[in-house]
Amino acid sequence: MKLLRELPKVDKFISHPVFEGLCTPLLTQIAREAIESLREAILKEEVSSVDEESLIQRVKNTYDAFFEPSLKPLINATGVILHTNMGRSLISECLLERAKPIICNYSNLEYNLQEGCRGERYEHVSGHLKNLLHVEDVLVVNNNAAAVFLILNTFAKNKEVVVSRGELVEIGGSFRIPEVMKQSGALLHEVGATNKTKPTDYANAISENTAMLMKVHQSNFAMEGFSEDVNYKTIKALAHKNGLIDYYDLGSGYIPKLPYNLGNREASLDEILACQPSLISFSGDKLFGSVQAGIIAGSKELIDALKKNQLLRMLRVDKITLSLLEESIKAYLKEEYEAIPTLWLLFQNVEDLTQRALRVRACVGEHYCDVVQSDTYMGGGTLPNRKFPTIALHIKGKASALEKKFREHYVIGRIENEQFLLDFRSLLPSVESQLIQTIKTVLDLK
Ligand SMILES: *Cc1c(COP(=O)(O)O)cnc(C)c1O
């Protein structure tokens, strides 16, 4: 095989000026693999010459692609504000700026400045959070899944937890409540039927080995028709009477009253907190609109017990989470909702959305798009089946082809009735000019 002799030697190949200044070990590896695959192609007689220039280009491209960030900012024009696949809630730039000195410097994360000794990392958010939720104590862990696990492991290991069959949900990403309970060491005592659970079902399930009565928010599904569940107040009272812990996994807790009557089918956080629950937990990055975290609130005695569990070390949050969460909580206390993009987007009214869509349409050209009314959902496994109004820009043309082209430009829209829509419900004003530019590029306009 004469061609094989024309294959470059790796050492000499990478000394080409094109590769100057690049990291040698990585470059050597990429070059070796490229030359090896060319050797195989020659042996299989798939190539008839060795083109060193194109080999150089290929190696350079592979090297450059290696350093491209894998995580890319997207424009979410799906209309789904809490998009599970696109990072759930957003952090506003102003909150990020406020947290930046903590993230980029040493801090008193676990240092008591008064005493000059070791301090407690969880104290930094607990003061503000207790104030916001009006509870005795709080604890923040990695996410709400971790909160569920920690609570069950601490209080119900080898003991029974009574849960309604209608609440044994799978949240998505294969997080199944029954599986998590099993892993935590808790024994699941299911009560009721899928569609109906009554207070007596809970009462009859209580035995010496019961540790807890648990309620789980149904999250991403809703039951219609012949169904019944037991409200938290009743569960709480029953637990109290029997000296048991009551725990409500809320999934997505939220503070203000939601627009479009979105919260009317469930008890609000305020109503639940008014029952003085032993423990509740919810996600930091669902409707609460902050960072990924699991927020646990309840009685001081129980929170103290959670803090003593060695597992907490594995589930703990770092300074980036704590500093951003602290800023979100302060924004809530100041009712500065514009600093919480999840809420800001949800609270935009249809008139404002229409004005924004019309402005974008005018910039693109009225010939290429229409402003249409539609409905959307919150997403993130919250508020199932609850649609609310939105406004979208319908880009004229073949929907599937447009969807793909926009996606290639990192704009994710949606297709409805074979129309490609860019939904304004999930669009921050700060991305509008980029969106206009992308529309022009995709449609090949000046
Ligand atoms: C979303 C959800 C969880 C998991 O929360 P993460 O923050 O995603 O870990 C647990 N329970 C319920 C009811 C949920 O809706």
PDB file of all heavy atoms in Angstrom, residues 77-79 350 353-354 356-358 360-361 369-376 389-395 413-414 416 419-427 435:
ATOM      1  N   ALA A  77     -39.093  30.734  22.954  1.00  0.00           N
ATOM      2  CA  ALA A  77     -40.317  31.316  22.391  1.00  0.00           C
ATOM      3  C   ALA A  77     -41.412  30.256  22.331  1.00  0.00           C
ATOM      4  O   ALA A  77     -42.301  30.317  21.490  1.00  0.00           O
ATOM      5  CB  ALA A  77     -40.041  31.911  21.015  1.00  0.00           C
ATOM      6  N   THR A  78     -41.333  29.280  23.237  1.00  0.00           N
ATOM      7  CA  THR A  78     -42.364  28.239  23.290  1.00  0.00           C
ATOM      8  C   THR A  78     -43.605  28.724  24.027  1.00  0.00           C
ATOM      9  O   THR A  78     -44.671  28.143  23.904  1.00  0.00           O
ATOM     10  CB  THR A  78     -41.865  26.987  24.033  1.00  0.00           C
ATOM     11  OG1 THR A  78     -41.559  27.362  25.395  1.00  0.00           O
ATOM     12  CG2 THR A  78     -40.614  26.395  23.385  1.00  0.00           C
ATOM     13  N   GLY A  79     -43.437  29.765  24.845  1.00  0.00           N
ATOM     14  CA  GLY A  79     -44.555  30.249  25.658  1.00  0.00           C
ATOM     15  C   GLY A  79     -44.618  29.565  27.018  1.00  0.00           C
ATOM     16  O   GLY A  79     -45.361  29.977  27.897  1.00  0.00           O
ATOM     17  N   VAL A 350     -52.115  40.665  28.521  1.00  0.00           N
ATOM     18  CA  VAL A 350     -52.225  40.386  27.085  1.00  0.00           C
ATOM     19  C   VAL A 350     -52.002  41.652  26.264  1.00  0.00           C
ATOM     20  O   VAL A 350     -51.395  41.612  25.190  1.00  0.00           O
ATOM     21  CB  VAL A 350     -53.609  39.752  26.795  1.00  0.00           C
ATOM     22  CG1 VAL A 350     -53.854  39.637  25.300  1.00  0.00           C
ATOM     23  CG2 VAL A 350     -53.683  38.379  27.448  1.00  0.00           C
ATOM     24  N   LEU A 353     -48.291  42.264  25.982  1.00  0.00           N
ATOM     25  CA  LEU A 353     -47.709  41.262  25.082  1.00  0.00           C
ATOM     26  C   LEU A 353     -48.016  41.622  23.628  1.00  0.00           C
ATOM     27  O   LEU A 353     -47.156  41.501  22.751  1.00  0.00           O
ATOM     28  CB  LEU A 353     -48.266  39.863  25.386  1.00  0.00           C
ATOM     29  CG  LEU A 353     -47.811  39.198  26.691  1.00  0.00           C
ATOM     30  CD1 LEU A 353     -48.577  37.889  26.909  1.00  0.00           C
ATOM     31  CD2 LEU A 353     -46.316  38.923  26.661  1.00  0.00           C
ATOM     32  N   THR A 354     -49.254  42.077  23.400  1.00  0.00           N
ATOM     33  CA  THR A 354     -49.669  42.441  22.043  1.00  0.00           C
ATOM     34  C   THR A 354     -48.820  43.597  21.513  1.00  0.00           C
ATOM     35  O   THR A 354     -48.350  43.565  20.372  1.00  0.00           O
ATOM     36  CB  THR A 354     -51.162  42.840  22.026  1.00  0.00           C
ATOM     37  OG1 THR A 354     -51.902  41.809  22.658  1.00  0.00           O
ATOM     38  CG2 THR A 354     -51.666  43.041  20.614  1.00  0.00           C
ATOM     39  N   ARG A 356     -45.828  44.445  22.389  1.00  0.00           N
ATOM     40  CA  ARG A 356     -44.464  43.980  22.121  1.00  0.00           C
ATOM     41  C   ARG A 356     -44.406  43.206  20.806  1.00  0.00           C
ATOM     42  O   ARG A 356     -43.505  43.410  19.988  1.00  0.00           O
ATOM     43  CB  ARG A 356     -43.969  43.092  23.277  1.00  0.00           C
ATOM     44  CG  ARG A 356     -43.711  43.856  24.571  1.00  0.00           C
ATOM     45  CD  ARG A 356     -43.319  42.926  25.695  1.00  0.00           C
ATOM     46  NE  ARG A 356     -42.156  42.114  25.330  1.00  0.00           N
ATOM     47  CZ  ARG A 356     -41.786  41.006  25.959  1.00  0.00           C
ATOM     48  NH1 ARG A 356     -42.484  40.564  26.976  1.00  0.00           N
ATOM     49  NH2 ARG A 356     -40.724  40.342  25.565  1.00  0.00           N
ATOM     50  N   ALA A 357     -45.403  42.340  20.594  1.00  0.00           N
ATOM     51  CA  ALA A 357     -45.424  41.535  19.362  1.00  0.00           C
ATOM     52  C   ALA A 357     -45.599  42.429  18.142  1.00  0.00           C
ATOM     53  O   ALA A 357     -44.957  42.219  17.101  1.00  0.00           O
ATOM     54  CB  ALA A 357     -46.542  40.499  19.444  1.00  0.00           C
ATOM     55  N   LEU A 358     -46.450  43.466  18.286  1.00  0.00           N
ATOM     56  CA  LEU A 358     -46.666  44.385  17.158  1.00  0.00           C
ATOM     57  C   LEU A 358     -45.386  45.146  16.808  1.00  0.00           C
ATOM     58  O   LEU A 358     -45.089  45.382  15.640  1.00  0.00           O
ATOM     59  CB  LEU A 358     -47.799  45.372  17.490  1.00  0.00           C
ATOM     60  CG  LEU A 358     -49.216  44.786  17.422  1.00  0.00           C
ATOM     61  CD1 LEU A 358     -50.233  45.777  17.991  1.00  0.00           C
ATOM     62  CD2 LEU A 358     -49.573  44.398  15.984  1.00  0.00           C
ATOM     63  N   VAL A 360     -42.288  44.092  17.274  1.00  0.00           N
ATOM     64  CA  VAL A 360     -41.372  43.170  16.583  1.00  0.00           C
ATOM     65  C   VAL A 360     -41.846  42.969  15.141  1.00  0.00           C
ATOM     66  O   VAL A 360     -41.049  42.993  14.198  1.00  0.00           O
ATOM     67  CB  VAL A 360     -41.269  41.815  17.344  1.00  0.00           C
ATOM     68  CG1 VAL A 360     -40.495  40.792  16.526  1.00  0.00           C
ATOM     69  CG2 VAL A 360     -40.602  42.023  18.696  1.00  0.00           C
ATOM     70  N   ARG A 361     -43.159  42.843  14.969  1.00  0.00           N
ATOM     71  CA  ARG A 361     -43.710  42.642  13.626  1.00  0.00           C
ATOM     72  C   ARG A 361     -43.368  43.828  12.719  1.00  0.00           C
ATOM     73  O   ARG A 361     -42.985  43.665  11.565  1.00  0.00           O
ATOM     74  CB  ARG A 361     -45.225  42.474  13.720  1.00  0.00           C
ATOM     75  CG  ARG A 361     -45.890  42.259  12.384  1.00  0.00           C
ATOM     76  CD  ARG A 361     -47.392  42.054  12.554  1.00  0.00           C
ATOM     77  NE  ARG A 361     -48.020  41.756  11.289  1.00  0.00           N
ATOM     78  CZ  ARG A 361     -49.045  42.437  10.792  1.00  0.00           C
ATOM     79  NH1 ARG A 361     -49.542  43.470  11.453  1.00  0.00           N
ATOM     80  NH2 ARG A 361     -49.559  42.097   9.633  1.00  0.00           N
ATOM     81  N   CYS A 369     -45.329  38.218   8.860  1.00  0.00           N
ATOM     82  CA  CYS A 369     -45.846  37.623  10.092  1.00  0.00           C
ATOM     83  C   CYS A 369     -47.130  38.302  10.563  1.00  0.00           C
ATOM     84  O   CYS A 369     -47.408  39.436  10.197  1.00  0.00           O
ATOM     85  CB  CYS A 369     -44.783  37.700  11.195  1.00  0.00           C
ATOM     86  SG  CYS A 369     -43.943  39.280  11.311  1.00  0.00           S
ATOM     87  N   ASP A 370     -47.891  37.561  11.396  1.00  0.00           N
ATOM     88  CA  ASP A 370     -49.108  38.085  12.020  1.00  0.00           C
ATOM     89  C   ASP A 370     -49.003  37.954  13.526  1.00  0.00           C
ATOM     90  O   ASP A 370     -48.331  37.049  14.013  1.00  0.00           O
ATOM     91  CB  ASP A 370     -50.335  37.228  11.662  1.00  0.00           C
ATOM     92  CG  ASP A 370     -50.566  37.129  10.196  1.00  0.00           C
ATOM     93  OD1 ASP A 370     -50.443  38.156   9.521  1.00  0.00           O
ATOM     94  OD2 ASP A 370     -50.862  36.002   9.735  1.00  0.00           O
ATOM     95  N   VAL A 371     -49.754  38.793  14.209  1.00  0.00           N
ATOM     96  CA  VAL A 371     -49.849  38.638  15.664  1.00  0.00           C
ATOM     97  C   VAL A 371     -51.107  37.827  15.951  1.00  0.00           C
ATOM     98  O   VAL A 371     -52.190  38.171  15.483  1.00  0.00           O
ATOM     99  CB  VAL A 371     -49.903  40.015  16.355  1.00  0.00           C
ATOM    100  CG1 VAL A 371     -50.175  39.860  17.847  1.00  0.00           C
ATOM    101  CG2 VAL A 371     -48.596  40.765  16.123  1.00  0.00           C
ATOM    102  N   VAL A 372     -50.956  36.721  16.688  1.00  0.00           N
ATOM    103  CA  VAL A 372     -52.118  35.865  16.976  1.00  0.00           C
ATOM    104  C   VAL A 372     -52.294  35.667  18.477  1.00  0.00           C
ATOM    105  O   VAL A 372     -51.336  35.723  19.238  1.00  0.00           O
ATOM    106  CB  VAL A 372     -52.000  34.479  16.290  1.00  0.00           C
ATOM    107  CG1 VAL A 372     -51.997  34.604  14.787  1.00  0.00           C
ATOM    108  CG2 VAL A 372     -50.759  33.726  16.765  1.00  0.00           C
ATOM    109  N   GLN A 373     -53.548  35.400  18.874  1.00  0.00           N
ATOM    110  CA  GLN A 373     -53.862  35.081  20.272  1.00  0.00           C
ATOM    111  C   GLN A 373     -53.822  33.591  20.447  1.00  0.00           C
ATOM    112  O   GLN A 373     -54.243  32.852  19.560  1.00  0.00           O
ATOM    113  CB  GLN A 373     -55.287  35.548  20.585  1.00  0.00           C
ATOM    114  CG  GLN A 373     -55.368  37.012  20.878  1.00  0.00           C
ATOM    115  CD  GLN A 373     -56.359  37.273  22.014  1.00  0.00           C
ATOM    116  OE1 GLN A 373     -56.702  36.367  22.757  1.00  0.00           O
ATOM    117  NE2 GLN A 373     -56.784  38.519  22.127  1.00  0.00           N
ATOM    118  N   SER A 374     -53.337  33.132  21.578  1.00  0.00           N
ATOM    119  CA  SER A 374     -53.340  31.699  21.826  1.00  0.00           C
ATOM    120  C   SER A 374     -53.368  31.444  23.338  1.00  0.00           C
ATOM    121  O   SER A 374     -53.574  32.372  24.116  1.00  0.00           O
ATOM    122  CB  SER A 374     -52.106  31.071  21.179  1.00  0.00           C
ATOM    123  OG  SER A 374     -52.127  29.674  21.341  1.00  0.00           O
ATOM    124  N   ASP A 375     -53.153  30.180  23.704  1.00  0.00           N
ATOM    125  CA  ASP A 375     -53.078  29.825  25.119  1.00  0.00           C
ATOM    126  C   ASP A 375     -51.769  29.107  25.388  1.00  0.00           C
ATOM    127  O   ASP A 375     -51.191  28.510  24.485  1.00  0.00           O
ATOM    128  CB  ASP A 375     -54.214  28.863  25.510  1.00  0.00           C
ATOM    129  CG  ASP A 375     -55.556  29.532  25.419  1.00  0.00           C
ATOM    130  OD1 ASP A 375     -55.708  30.616  26.014  1.00  0.00           O
ATOM    131  OD2 ASP A 375     -56.433  28.997  24.720  1.00  0.00           O
ATOM    132  N   THR A 376     -51.326  29.178  26.636  1.00  0.00           N
ATOM    133  CA  THR A 376     -50.106  28.468  26.989  1.00  0.00           C
ATOM    134  C   THR A 376     -50.255  27.842  28.375  1.00  0.00           C
ATOM    135  O   THR A 376     -51.299  27.989  29.022  1.00  0.00           O
ATOM    136  CB  THR A 376     -48.885  29.406  26.927  1.00  0.00           C
ATOM    137  OG1 THR A 376     -47.699  28.630  27.122  1.00  0.00           O
ATOM    138  CG2 THR A 376     -48.945  30.489  27.997  1.00  0.00           C
ATOM    139  N   PRO A 389     -53.976  32.909  28.755  1.00  0.00           N
ATOM    140  CA  PRO A 389     -53.813  33.556  27.454  1.00  0.00           C
ATOM    141  C   PRO A 389     -52.387  34.016  27.158  1.00  0.00           C
ATOM    142  O   PRO A 389     -51.626  34.357  28.070  1.00  0.00           O
ATOM    143  CB  PRO A 389     -54.753  34.762  27.534  1.00  0.00           C
ATOM    144  CG  PRO A 389     -54.943  35.008  28.976  1.00  0.00           C
ATOM    145  CD  PRO A 389     -54.807  33.697  29.669  1.00  0.00           C
ATOM    146  N   THR A 390     -52.070  34.008  25.888  1.00  0.00           N
ATOM    147  CA  THR A 390     -50.777  34.510  25.463  1.00  0.00           C
ATOM    148  C   THR A 390     -50.891  35.114  24.064  1.00  0.00           C
ATOM    149  O   THR A 390     -51.950  35.037  23.437  1.00  0.00           O
ATOM    150  CB  THR A 390     -49.725  33.377  25.478  1.00  0.00           C
ATOM    151  OG1 THR A 390     -48.439  33.944  25.241  1.00  0.00           O
ATOM    152  CG2 THR A 390     -49.997  32.341  24.409  1.00  0.00           C
ATOM    153  N   ILE A 391     -49.815  35.741  23.637  1.00  0.00           N
ATOM    154  CA  ILE A 391     -49.766  36.370  22.317  1.00  0.00           C
ATOM    155  C   ILE A 391     -48.521  35.863  21.608  1.00  0.00           C
ATOM    156  O   ILE A 391     -47.452  35.753  22.214  1.00  0.00           O
ATOM    157  CB  ILE A 391     -49.684  37.911  22.449  1.00  0.00           C
ATOM    158  CG1 ILE A 391     -50.986  38.474  23.032  1.00  0.00           C
ATOM    159  CG2 ILE A 391     -49.325  38.579  21.127  1.00  0.00           C
ATOM    160  CD1 ILE A 391     -52.213  38.338  22.124  1.00  0.00           C
ATOM    161  N   ALA A 392     -48.685  35.535  20.318  1.00  0.00           N
ATOM    162  CA  ALA A 392     -47.538  35.010  19.582  1.00  0.00           C
ATOM    163  C   ALA A 392     -47.423  35.672  18.217  1.00  0.00           C
ATOM    164  O   ALA A 392     -48.388  36.226  17.699  1.00  0.00           O
ATOM    165  CB  ALA A 392     -47.672  33.506  19.415  1.00  0.00           C
ATOM    166  N   LEU A 393     -46.236  35.596  17.673  1.00  0.00           N
ATOM    167  CA  LEU A 393     -45.996  36.053  16.315  1.00  0.00           C
ATOM    168  C   LEU A 393     -46.005  34.820  15.434  1.00  0.00           C
ATOM    169  O   LEU A 393     -45.205  33.890  15.651  1.00  0.00           O
ATOM    170  CB  LEU A 393     -44.624  36.750  16.267  1.00  0.00           C
ATOM    171  CG  LEU A 393     -44.376  37.751  15.165  1.00  0.00           C
ATOM    172  CD1 LEU A 393     -45.370  38.890  15.209  1.00  0.00           C
ATOM    173  CD2 LEU A 393     -42.945  38.288  15.270  1.00  0.00           C
ATOM    174  N   HIS A 394     -46.950  34.781  14.485  1.00  0.00           N
ATOM    175  CA  HIS A 394     -46.986  33.660  13.546  1.00  0.00           C
ATOM    176  C   HIS A 394     -46.097  34.019  12.357  1.00  0.00           C
ATOM    177  O   HIS A 394     -46.355  34.988  11.648  1.00  0.00           O
ATOM    178  CB  HIS A 394     -48.445  33.425  13.116  1.00  0.00           C
ATOM    179  CG  HIS A 394     -48.575  32.677  11.832  1.00  0.00           C
ATOM    180  ND1 HIS A 394     -49.493  32.994  10.862  1.00  0.00           N
ATOM    181  CD2 HIS A 394     -47.864  31.618  11.351  1.00  0.00           C
ATOM    182  CE1 HIS A 394     -49.355  32.169   9.839  1.00  0.00           C
ATOM    183  NE2 HIS A 394     -48.372  31.339  10.105  1.00  0.00           N
ATOM    184  N   ILE A 395     -45.046  33.228  12.183  1.00  0.00           N
ATOM    185  CA  ILE A 395     -44.142  33.457  11.055  1.00  0.00           C
ATOM    186  C   ILE A 395     -44.676  32.664   9.867  1.00  0.00           C
ATOM    187  O   ILE A 395     -44.821  31.439   9.955  1.00  0.00           O
ATOM    188  CB  ILE A 395     -42.694  32.999  11.388  1.00  0.00           C
ATOM    189  CG1 ILE A 395     -42.203  33.605  12.706  1.00  0.00           C
ATOM    190  CG2 ILE A 395     -41.750  33.319  10.235  1.00  0.00           C
ATOM    191  CD1 ILE A 395     -41.942  35.100  12.678  1.00  0.00           C
ATOM    192  N   GLY A 413     -39.249  27.827  19.083  1.00  0.00           N
ATOM    193  CA  GLY A 413     -40.653  28.248  19.026  1.00  0.00           C
ATOM    194  C   GLY A 413     -41.554  27.041  19.169  1.00  0.00           C
ATOM    195  O   GLY A 413     -41.138  26.008  19.688  1.00  0.00           O
ATOM    196  N   ARG A 414     -42.807  27.188  18.725  1.00  0.00           N
ATOM    197  CA  ARG A 414     -43.674  25.992  18.755  1.00  0.00           C
ATOM    198  C   ARG A 414     -44.598  25.998  17.547  1.00  0.00           C
ATOM    199  O   ARG A 414     -44.834  27.041  16.918  1.00  0.00           O
ATOM    200  CB  ARG A 414     -44.445  25.917  20.055  1.00  0.00           C
ATOM    201  CG  ARG A 414     -45.533  26.924  20.220  1.00  0.00           C
ATOM    202  CD  ARG A 414     -46.094  26.762  21.628  1.00  0.00           C
ATOM    203  NE  ARG A 414     -46.681  28.013  22.065  1.00  0.00           N
ATOM    204  CZ  ARG A 414     -47.958  28.339  21.889  1.00  0.00           C
ATOM    205  NH1 ARG A 414     -48.763  27.513  21.264  1.00  0.00           N
ATOM    206  NH2 ARG A 414     -48.419  29.481  22.316  1.00  0.00           N
ATOM    207  N   GLU A 416     -48.374  25.198  16.130  1.00  0.00           N
ATOM    208  CA  GLU A 416     -49.768  25.044  16.555  1.00  0.00           C
ATOM    209  C   GLU A 416     -50.631  25.186  15.311  1.00  0.00           C
ATOM    210  O   GLU A 416     -50.457  26.154  14.566  1.00  0.00           O
ATOM    211  CB  GLU A 416     -50.079  26.161  17.564  1.00  0.00           C
ATOM    212  CG  GLU A 416     -51.356  26.002  18.301  1.00  0.00           C
ATOM    213  CD  GLU A 416     -51.479  27.100  19.369  1.00  0.00           C
ATOM    214  OE1 GLU A 416     -50.825  27.000  20.418  1.00  0.00           O
ATOM    215  OE2 GLU A 416     -52.196  28.080  19.109  1.00  0.00           O
ATOM    216  N   GLN A 419     -48.967  26.100  12.208  1.00  0.00           N
ATOM    217  CA  GLN A 419     -48.357  27.424  12.104  1.00  0.00           C
ATOM    218  C   GLN A 419     -47.156  27.475  13.042  1.00  0.00           C
ATOM    219  O   GLN A 419     -47.216  26.973  14.168  1.00  0.00           O
ATOM    220  CB  GLN A 419     -49.346  28.516  12.534  1.00  0.00           C
ATOM    221  CG  GLN A 419     -50.548  28.629  11.633  1.00  0.00           C
ATOM    222  CD  GLN A 419     -51.429  29.825  12.025  1.00  0.00           C
ATOM    223  OE1 GLN A 419     -51.428  30.245  13.177  1.00  0.00           O
ATOM    224  NE2 GLN A 419     -52.135  30.360  11.052  1.00  0.00           N
ATOM    225  N   PHE A 420     -46.087  28.125  12.575  1.00  0.00           N
ATOM    226  CA  PHE A 420     -44.925  28.276  13.453  1.00  0.00           C
ATOM    227  C   PHE A 420     -45.087  29.557  14.266  1.00  0.00           C
ATOM    228  O   PHE A 420     -45.251  30.647  13.721  1.00  0.00           O
ATOM    229  CB  PHE A 420     -43.627  28.319  12.641  1.00  0.00           C
ATOM    230  CG  PHE A 420     -42.422  28.494  13.529  1.00  0.00           C
ATOM    231  CD1 PHE A 420     -42.022  27.478  14.380  1.00  0.00           C
ATOM    232  CD2 PHE A 420     -41.702  29.686  13.533  1.00  0.00           C
ATOM    233  CE1 PHE A 420     -40.925  27.633  15.215  1.00  0.00           C
ATOM    234  CE2 PHE A 420     -40.603  29.854  14.364  1.00  0.00           C
ATOM    235  CZ  PHE A 420     -40.216  28.821  15.208  1.00  0.00           C
ATOM    236  N   LEU A 421     -45.060  29.421  15.593  1.00  0.00           N
ATOM    237  CA  LEU A 421     -45.303  30.567  16.473  1.00  0.00           C
ATOM    238  C   LEU A 421     -44.081  30.892  17.334  1.00  0.00           C
ATOM    239  O   LEU A 421     -43.402  29.994  17.829  1.00  0.00           O
ATOM    240  CB  LEU A 421     -46.476  30.276  17.420  1.00  0.00           C
ATOM    241  CG  LEU A 421     -47.836  29.919  16.822  1.00  0.00           C
ATOM    242  CD1 LEU A 421     -48.867  29.767  17.937  1.00  0.00           C
ATOM    243  CD2 LEU A 421     -48.298  30.970  15.811  1.00  0.00           C
ATOM    244  N   LEU A 422     -43.855  32.191  17.492  1.00  0.00           N
ATOM    245  CA  LEU A 422     -42.893  32.669  18.483  1.00  0.00           C
ATOM    246  C   LEU A 422     -43.738  33.311  19.584  1.00  0.00           C
ATOM    247  O   LEU A 422     -44.351  34.363  19.377  1.00  0.00           O
ATOM    248  CB  LEU A 422     -41.933  33.691  17.859  1.00  0.00           C
ATOM    249  CG  LEU A 422     -41.068  33.150  16.713  1.00  0.00           C
ATOM    250  CD1 LEU A 422     -40.305  34.284  16.032  1.00  0.00           C
ATOM    251  CD2 LEU A 422     -40.088  32.095  17.227  1.00  0.00           C
ATOM    252  N   ASP A 423     -43.799  32.632  20.718  1.00  0.00           N
ATOM    253  CA  ASP A 423     -44.721  33.033  21.783  1.00  0.00           C
ATOM    254  C   ASP A 423     -44.047  34.043  22.718  1.00  0.00           C
ATOM    255  O   ASP A 423     -42.953  33.803  23.221  1.00  0.00           O
ATOM    256  CB  ASP A 423     -45.146  31.770  22.546  1.00  0.00           C
ATOM    257  CG  ASP A 423     -46.307  32.026  23.483  1.00  0.00           C
ATOM    258  OD1 ASP A 423     -46.325  33.083  24.148  1.00  0.00           O
ATOM    259  OD2 ASP A 423     -47.201  31.157  23.559  1.00  0.00           O
ATOM    260  N   PHE A 424     -44.719  35.162  22.960  1.00  0.00           N
ATOM    261  CA  PHE A 424     -44.116  36.230  23.773  1.00  0.00           C
ATOM    262  C   PHE A 424     -44.242  36.003  25.274  1.00  0.00           C
ATOM    263  O   PHE A 424     -43.606  36.703  26.060  1.00  0.00           O
ATOM    264  CB  PHE A 424     -44.723  37.589  23.395  1.00  0.00           C
ATOM    265  CG  PHE A 424     -44.030  38.184  22.203  1.00  0.00           C
ATOM    266  CD1 PHE A 424     -44.099  37.563  20.967  1.00  0.00           C
ATOM    267  CD2 PHE A 424     -43.260  39.332  22.333  1.00  0.00           C
ATOM    268  CE1 PHE A 424     -43.424  38.083  19.870  1.00  0.00           C
ATOM    269  CE2 PHE A 424     -42.582  39.859  21.246  1.00  0.00           C
ATOM    270  CZ  PHE A 424     -42.664  39.234  20.004  1.00  0.00           C
ATOM    271  N   ARG A 425     -45.041  35.036  25.694  1.00  0.00           N
ATOM    272  CA  ARG A 425     -45.232  34.816  27.133  1.00  0.00           C
ATOM    273  C   ARG A 425     -43.906  34.498  27.834  1.00  0.00           C
ATOM    274  O   ARG A 425     -43.694  34.879  28.970  1.00  0.00           O
ATOM    275  CB  ARG A 425     -46.261  33.688  27.331  1.00  0.00           C
ATOM    276  CG  ARG A 425     -46.508  33.258  28.739  1.00  0.00           C
ATOM    277  CD  ARG A 425     -47.040  34.363  29.617  1.00  0.00           C
ATOM    278  NE  ARG A 425     -48.392  34.791  29.299  1.00  0.00           N
ATOM    279  CZ  ARG A 425     -48.962  35.851  29.870  1.00  0.00           C
ATOM    280  NH1 ARG A 425     -48.305  36.579  30.779  1.00  0.00           N
ATOM    281  NH2 ARG A 425     -50.185  36.205  29.526  1.00  0.00           N
ATOM    282  N   SER A 426     -43.008  33.774  27.132  1.00  0.00           N
ATOM    283  CA  SER A 426     -41.758  33.363  27.775  1.00  0.00           C
ATOM    284  C   SER A 426     -40.556  34.184  27.301  1.00  0.00           C
ATOM    285  O   SER A 426     -39.417  33.780  27.496  1.00  0.00           O
ATOM    286  CB  SER A 426     -41.516  31.871  27.513  1.00  0.00           C
ATOM    287  OG  SER A 426     -41.601  31.612  26.130  1.00  0.00           O
ATOM    288  N   LEU A 427     -40.822  35.332  26.652  1.00  0.00           N
ATOM    289  CA  LEU A 427     -39.732  36.152  26.104  1.00  0.00           C
ATOM    290  C   LEU A 427     -39.452  37.377  26.964  1.00  0.00           C
ATOM    291  O   LEU A 427     -40.336  38.211  27.179  1.00  0.00           O
ATOM    292  CB  LEU A 427     -40.108  36.679  24.713  1.00  0.00           C
ATOM    293  CG  LEU A 427     -40.011  35.729  23.529  1.00  0.00           C
ATOM    294  CD1 LEU A 427     -40.468  36.475  22.283  1.00  0.00           C
ATOM    295  CD2 LEU A 427     -38.600  35.221  23.354  1.00  0.00           C
ATOM    296  N   LEU A 435     -33.948  38.604  18.740  1.00  0.00           N
ATOM    297  CA  LEU A 435     -35.005  37.838  18.073  1.00  0.00           C
ATOM    298  C   LEU A 435     -35.306  38.427  16.697  1.00  0.00           C
ATOM    299  O   LEU A 435     -35.431  37.704  15.704  1.00  0.00           O
ATOM    300  CB  LEU A 435     -36.265  37.822  18.938  1.00  0.00           C
ATOM    301  CG  LEU A 435     -37.418  36.994  18.373  1.00  0.00           C
ATOM    302  CD1 LEU A 435     -37.109  35.519  18.398  1.00  0.00           C
ATOM    303  CD2 LEU A 435     -38.711  37.262  19.132  1.00  0.00           C
TER     304      LEU A 435
END
